[in-house]
Amino acid sequence: MRNSRLLLFLIIFLLLPPFAPGASLAAPPQQDRAGKRFNLASCLYNNITFRQGETSPDRWRRCAKTLKLAYDQEPGHEKAPFALYLLGKTHEEMHERFHDPADLAAAAGYYEDLAMIFPRHALSDDALLILGTIALTKNNDEKNAEKILARIIAVYPAGDMAQAAAVMLRRMKNGDTVADNAAKKEQQQDALPMAHLSQPIRFWSTKTYTRVVIETSGPVQFQEAFLKAEGELPRRLYVDLKHSRIAPTFQNPIPIRDGLLKQVRGAQFDPDTVRVVLDTESVKDYKIFTMEEPFRVVIDVTGAKPKTPDHLPTLAEQFGLGVKTIVIDPGHGGKDPGALGVNGMQEKDIVLTVAKKVAAILEKETAFKVILTRDRDTYIPLEERTAIANTREADLFVSIHANSAPNNHASGVETYFLSLATSREEMQAAARENAASSSQISDLQKILQDLMQNSKIEESARLAGCVQGELVNGLQQKHDVKNLGVKKAPFIVLIGAQMPAVLTEIAFLSNEEEVRRLRDERYLEAIARHIVAGVRQYVAKLNTM
Ligand SMILES: [Zn+2]
């Protein structure tokens, strides 16, 4: 649109209810609260911009505040793009009059938001052109201006701002061809296969933790940026997926509003990039990692823990009874059978049976609340299992698996906690349980150091020791069971767990003797009983610390 002032008249005209008597015989349509608030704000804007010599900062602030409230109330509202545009305008005008640099930053933030959150909206390229002009004339940031202008030409080649952007670019570079370079770069990248989001963005959430998962049709490179608050804008976390596409149906904003994140939204940022934006409210930290088959980018966002009230510890707390909820996670399930044993035994079945027994004993004999990640033969992605434990605010996480090895003499029990793998066996175990290749595991190792911050490594190692010890000693009373010890490996199912978390391998399905034992209900009962004993021992040890 050529003339933004003209446009504003149009917007305001469209938004105003028919005031003139007799203008409409029909009753005005019922309006929602956000819509009403937005109309009020645009009236305020209208009044101040057309009243010459309006110098009171209060009126401007009120206008900005009302627009912001309208936007926050319903960021997915049909008028939200207009609200962002007017917010940009309001802050820009405030900067002109009152010279507070924060207003200019806020204006730029709102224009950027409009272009990014509503890339298909008619005002998006207008917002970008203003943004480019601000970068060039106010911030003297030629590089950034160039980028923004090139973006207009690339994303909105048929839009009415493309020509203006091209003119500006030419003036800046004296005929240089940023746009040509952009086109060339695009051609080069077309040689690679393009990925697309294969399903809507998923999330699990509490007030202090949210996990967001983006699933794509193939591996993608990504880059993230955590933007500081600009003016009144909350901090935003962007993840750009290179060489990717997103279907329009997956672009709807997903409201979260858990106090940590406002919403998540994916959009086609430019022809080659999908940008996923997490609008945050009180995020303290975040971590990102990827998973294979299907390819997923997992974003864990954490906030400040709510302050625990100052009080003297209760008797229960003094005795270390802080453990209330335990998540028991039977590995695999559904389309993922896990290890396949001799005589057709499948890992997913045997670990489900054991997990159910563990849950039953815990429920019957202890005061713990028990959550099973699955109680039937169903497929649950690894990232969802940890997310269940985190969002249910579990105090312990025990994943139950069975082993397999090419050497069919291999046997015994081992228990893992999350850490870097240091031996080939540990790498192989991680590759098997993560359904990933060894090379993917070594990639994972590289980022694991960062991922492990805040995880309860020490406690997890202690829990692993208790479970392993009780399980082996218990089973050895009647059987010849090999103690393979406590080990560490980068198991995806343990990554991001906010409580002590372990993965125990109860037997080798590749070993005939062990499979024979697993067919005996009493043996399974014993395994379950000894896992429970391990958990109890861990909790009991907490008391003495
Ligand atoms: Zn397994």
Side-chain angles (χ1 to χ4, degrees):
M1 318 227 167
R2 183 147 303 139
N3 186 323
S4 46
R5 191 157 283 253
L6 186 74
L7 174 80
L8 276 177
F9 273 118
L10 191 71
I11 300 168
I12 291 157
F13 175 76
L14 287 172
L15 290 170
L16 287 176
F19 280 131
S24 166
L25 290 175
Q30 277 291 320
Q31 279 178 331
D32 50 310
R33 279 179 61 203
K36 273 186 185 159
R37 190 168 262 155
F38 179 67
N39 284 357
L40 167 68
S42 50
C43 289
L44 291 174
Y45 182 85
N46 193 18
N47 284 343
I48 27 181
T49 43
F50 294 106
R51 194 183 296 173
Q52 291 296 318
E54 178 58 74
T55 52
S56 149
D58 288 349
R59 278 173 173 273
W60 284 102
R61 272 193 214 114
R62 193 177 152 223
C63 176
K65 201 176 156 191
T66 312
L67 281 164
K68 182 77 177 14
L69 278 173
Y71 177 68
D72 283 349
Q73 195 164 19
E74 219 176 299
H77 195 279
E78 56 173 346
K79 285 171 182 169
F82 293 105
L84 287 171
Y85 187 80
L86 282 189
L87 271 164
K89 278 276 160 203
T90 305
H91 283 281
E92 219 187 329
E93 302 254 5
M94 282 164 80
H95 177 253
E96 282 298 313
R97 287 169 172 77
F98 315 118
H99 313 292
D100 182 348
D103 277 321
L104 192 63
Y110 288 121
Y111 290 133
E112 174 69 47
D113 268 11
L114 168 53
M116 209 180 46
I117 303 176
F118 302 98
R120 278 155 208 273
H121 197 272
L123 283 171
S124 287
D125 54 345
D126 298 58
L128 283 174
L129 195 71
I130 302 173
L131 205 55
T133 312
I134 290 177
L136 189 63
T137 60
K138 299 279 183 355
N139 299 337
N140 292 321
D141 187 349
E142 246 187 63
K143 243 188 177 165
N144 191 25
E146 209 173 83
K147 246 198 243 163
I148 295 164
L149 295 170
R151 179 169 150 201
I152 296 172
I153 297 166
V155 184
Y156 306 96
D160 42 14
M161 293 295 129
Q163 209 188 344
V167 169
M168 274 178 78
L169 264 179
R170 258 200 301 279
R171 259 185 228 149
M172 280 169 65
K173 301 292 277 183
N174 237 348
D176 203 332
T177 53
V178 174
D180 291 353
N181 288 340
K184 248 184 237 157
K185 199 176 145 216
E186 203 184 309
Q187 277 172 4
Q188 284 166 6
Q189 283 174 335
D190 274 347
L192 300 164
M194 197 88 176
H196 60 265
L197 265 70
S198 43
Q199 58 168 306
I201 296 164
R202 290 175 287 149
F203 75 95
W204 297 265
S205 141
T206 65
K207 285 187 193 113
T208 55
Y209 164 85
T210 302
R211 171 166 280 187
V212 174
V213 176
I214 310 159
E215 191 172 315
T216 57
S217 58
V220 294
Q221 286 188 308
F222 65 91
Q223 197 166 33
E224 83 264 18
F226 196 26
L227 296 193
K228 292 219 175 77
E230 283 170 22
E232 295 163 345
L233 279 181
R235 302 220 292 183
R236 282 161 297 160
L237 175 64
Y238 296 173
V239 181
D240 281 347
L241 308 176
K242 304 280 165 65
H243 215 54
S244 302
R245 289 270 158 82
I246 179 169
T249 45
F250 293 167
Q251 296 197 20
N252 299 329
I254 303 159
I256 295 184
R257 302 197 184 178
D258 54 6
L260 201 59
L261 293 183
K262 260 190 197 151
Q263 59 172 9
V264 177
R265 170 154 182 136
Q268 194 73 45
F269 181 64
D270 65 31
D272 198 56
T273 313
V274 169
R275 176 168 281 188
V276 175
V277 185
L278 284 71
D279 271 321
T280 73
E281 290 188 71
S282 63
V283 166
K284 217 178 97 202
D285 199 10
Y286 71 92
K287 304 206 184 311
I288 300 183
F289 61 98
T290 61
M291 297 175 61
E292 306 286 334
E293 284 167 30
F295 189 85
R296 284 156 285 170
V297 178
V298 181
I299 310 164
D300 273 357
V301 179
T302 47
K305 286 253 183 270
K307 274 187 198 136
T308 45
D310 289 329
H311 69 327
L312 290 172
T314 63
L315 208 58
E317 283 162 344
Q318 282 180 41
F319 283 94
L321 302 177
V323 177
K324 293 185 201 86
T325 306
I326 300 178
V327 168
I328 304 295
D329 172 46
H332 314 274
K335 65 181 183 188
D336 170 18
L340 298 176
V342 287
N343 302 327
M345 184 176 276
Q346 298 190 49
E347 181 182 358
K348 67 172 183 178
D349 299 325
I350 202 77
V351 298
L352 178 61
T353 309
V354 172
K356 280 171 142 176
K357 287 182 188 297
V358 171
I361 298 168
L362 282 169
E363 261 160 6
K364 197 170 160 222
E365 299 179 7
T366 71
F368 301 132
K369 188 178 157 201
V370 185
I371 297 163
L372 279 164
T373 53
R374 67 178 180 100
D375 59 5
R376 65 214 132 84
D377 184 17
T378 177
Y379 176 76
I380 300 175
L382 294 174
E383 71 273 21
E384 185 167 342
R385 298 166 190 255
T386 336
I388 290 171
N390 285 345
T391 52
R392 302 288 292 271
E393 290 172 355
D395 302 294
L396 295 180
F397 179 85
V398 180
S399 191
I400 301 175
H401 287 252
N403 235 321
S404 171
N407 169 9
N408 56 16
H409 295 295
S411 72
V413 171
E414 58 194 16
T415 304
Y416 285 86
F417 63 96
L418 177 71
S419 191
L420 298 171
T422 47
S423 74
R424 215 165 65 94
E425 286 73 25
E426 287 170 346
M427 287 281 269
Q428 283 167 346
R432 196 181 56 249
E433 298 296 10
N434 290 341
S437 67
S438 291
S439 74
Q440 285 158 354
I441 298 302
S442 79
D443 284 346
L444 189 60
Q445 297 252 76
K446 285 177 207 146
I447 54 167
L448 196 64
Q449 213 69 57
D450 179 47
L451 292 172
M452 285 192 311
Q453 283 168 16
N454 303 332
S455 22
K456 305 244 155 91
I457 304 288
E458 258 176 63
E459 289 99 307
S460 297
R462 226 159 353 99
L463 176 59
C466 293
V467 170
Q468 176 69 14
E470 286 296 319
L471 195 47
V472 169
N473 292 337
L475 293 175
Q476 277 176 345
Q477 287 167 11
K478 284 191 180 168
H479 305 273
D480 181 20
V481 170
K482 217 185 214 168
N483 185 357
L484 299 174
V486 169
K487 296 180 175 176
K488 49 205 175 359
F491 287 117
I492 284 171
V493 74
L494 303 180
I495 290 177
Q498 296 183 320
M499 68 293 303
V502 298
L503 184 151
T504 183
E505 304 266 9
I506 55 172
F508 277 74
L509 297 192
S510 45
N511 183 292
E512 225 167 293
E513 169 63 18
E514 293 208 318
V515 167
R516 197 185 50 75
R517 273 190 225 137
L518 291 174
R519 293 201 179 280
D520 183 349
E521 197 71 14
R522 284 166 302 177
Y523 191 69
L524 300 184
E525 188 72 28
I527 292 176
R529 191 154 289 285
H530 297 312
I531 290 175
V532 170
V535 168
R536 282 181 147 163
Q537 192 195 56
Y538 172 81
V539 175
K541 274 186 182 171
L542 282 180
N543 299 350
T544 59
M545 288 181 67

